[in-house]
Amino acid sequence: MPRSEARVATDRPGRYAKQLAAHMGRKIEAHWSDETGRGTLTFGAGTATLEAAPDALLLAVEGERENLPGLEDVVGRHLVRFGARDELVVEWHRDNGEAGHVHRNDAPAEDQGGSDTPQRG
């Protein structure tokens, strides 16, 4: 399945992953484990995985190729908003070499339709 990944430098990866899972869990199936430092977000259009590394939050989204931009957008946009104080940057790298979204606090993400969650596939 097509995939896009991002490595988000932060000294608080577990905190941000837990916050992202809790927030997204209001609308979709979301899980986070403090014990394993891993979590998942299940959208209708694909999935996201979250992994807390010692100095970064590792993100991956998987779905049909046409759904990757929306998955990148919703995960990256929310994470950057939560991490505004720490100036988090989420730069996606797609498995086919295409440029993915880049989310940062000082620049708006590319508009992908304004939906809060990707459309069902």
Side-chain angles (χ1 to χ4, degrees):
M1 181 151 295
R3 181 178 175 94
S4 187
E5 298 178 343
R7 182 182 188 284
V8 183
T10 177
D11 59 353
R12 299 186 287 180
R15 176 188 178 276
Y16 285 121
K18 183 176 183 174
Q19 185 177 10
L20 183 62
H23 175 76
M24 299 305 292
R26 297 177 189 153
K27 293 188 176 189
I28 63 166
E29 184 178 335
H31 300 281
W32 173 255
S33 170
D34 286 325
E35 290 179 17
T36 65
R38 294 176 182 250
T40 59
L41 307 174
T42 305
F43 299 94
T47 60
T49 57
L50 318 169
E51 182 179 348
D55 61 350
L57 176 56
L58 308 177
L59 305 172
V61 293
E62 292 186 75
E64 295 301 323
R65 182 85 40 215
E66 65 271 12
N67 294 332
L68 285 182
L71 292 164
E72 291 171 352
D73 183 57
V74 72
V75 173
R77 185 168 32 91
H78 284 90
L79 184 59
V80 165
R81 186 171 61 215
F82 297 145
R85 177 179 293 144
D86 291 336
E87 298 180 8
L88 298 184
V89 176
V90 181
E91 184 173 353
W92 294 97
H93 301 278
R94 297 181 188 160
D95 61 359
N96 68 353
E98 289 180 3
H101 282 284
V102 176
H103 295 88
R104 57 176 41 97
N105 195 28
D106 60 358
E110 298 169 28
D111 185 13
Q112 291 294 320
S115 174
D116 198 36
T117 56
Q119 298 298 313
R120 295 199 173 263

